[in-house]
Amino acid sequence: MPPLTEACPPAWAEAGKAALAVLDPALGGIEALAGPLPWRRRPRGFGGLARTVLGQQISNQAAGAIWRRYATLPGALEPEGLLRLEDEALRGAGLSRPKVAHLRGLATACLEGRLRLDALSAMPDAEAIAHLSAQRGLGPWTAQVHLMFSEDRPDIFPHGDVALAASVAHLRGLPARPAPRALEALARGWAPWRSLAARLLWHHWRHATGRPAGEEP
């Protein structure tokens, strides 16, 4: 299974792009320079959450390599299967000891009903972020990215993301990256399309830095 799969954009994406071009013409001009925005999606449920967790605090390239090995392990994309795997198999796929423990904790939380991934779609954004963030080791960034890429939420913005801050600074010619609170305040002007704005900004940053158009966070 690839780290992120190419997918057809949801029905709201084109309307969102048109609205963002009016709200912020700089965002509206990104595709003209960087090319069409690829729409990438992660699996829903435990598999998608595991991919986001594996990408925490490491490069996209390293995360992608680890994920490709992890995803081939029998049962690794479901809580029950993950708990049946030996630590040696998970470590052999490249997971650190803390991430092995973290995934085991999340799998247990799913089976015990403390983490209800199947109920996320019925939760408003703030409730869904709070539910995910309440789990040990799942901070707001992980919750927001999971909701963006596994649940296709249109109005989520991971304001603590360094690449988003760097992209905004480059796009607007700022002398420094905006701090998370400043970035959060700026993103309010892109509602209700903040997820789409984030995708465009990541797309712009890949183009600006010459990085391959592979993974989002």
Side-chain angles (χ1 to χ4, degrees):
M1 179 182 294
L4 280 171
T5 55
E6 292 285 347
C8 293
W12 50 261
E14 287 305 314
K17 287 181 189 178
L20 284 173
V22 174
L23 292 169
D24 191 331
L27 291 177
I30 286 175
E31 286 186 298
L33 295 174
L37 175 68
W39 199 269
R40 296 185 174 88
R41 185 176 289 128
R42 291 177 180 161
R44 298 185 72 189
F46 186 78
L49 184 61
R51 172 61 188 88
T52 304
V53 168
L54 293 182
Q56 291 173 328
Q57 299 178 333
I58 60 176
S59 70
N60 287 336
Q61 291 80 5
I66 292 171
W67 172 253
R68 285 187 286 273
R69 294 191 294 268
Y70 172 85
T72 64
L73 298 174
L77 303 184
E78 297 294 337
E80 300 92 335
L82 182 280
L83 292 175
R84 285 195 297 266
L85 290 169
E86 299 289 339
D87 282 5
E88 289 75 11
L90 295 168
R91 295 279 288 141
L95 278 70
S96 65
R97 293 187 189 279
K99 286 195 176 176
V100 170
H102 189 186
L103 287 180
R104 290 196 185 282
L106 293 175
T108 300
C110 287
L111 295 178
E112 292 179 351
R114 291 180 284 112
L115 178 54
R116 297 178 292 119
L117 297 177
D118 58 346
L120 287 176
S121 60
M123 298 180 189
D125 291 340
E127 182 182 347
I129 291 170
H131 178 68
L132 290 168
S133 299
Q135 307 303 317
R136 184 176 182 181
L138 288 188
W141 182 90
T142 306
Q144 290 159 345
V145 168
H146 179 73
L147 292 171
M148 285 180 63
F149 287 100
S150 293
E151 298 285 332
D152 261 350
R153 299 277 179 127
D155 198 32
I156 303 286
F157 195 86
H159 56 271
D161 189 90
V162 173
L164 288 179
S167 184
V168 167
H170 184 273
L171 189 66
R172 293 177 176 264
L174 302 178
R177 296 194 303 256
R181 286 189 180 181
L183 189 59
E184 182 181 23
L186 176 64
R188 291 192 194 109
W190 301 325
W193 310 109
R194 282 174 283 189
S195 297
L196 185 54
R199 285 178 180 263
L200 286 167
L201 287 167
W202 277 315
H203 189 46
H204 170 75
W205 189 236
R206 284 196 306 270
H207 174 74
T209 56
R211 294 172 183 170
E215 274 283 274
E216 294 342 348

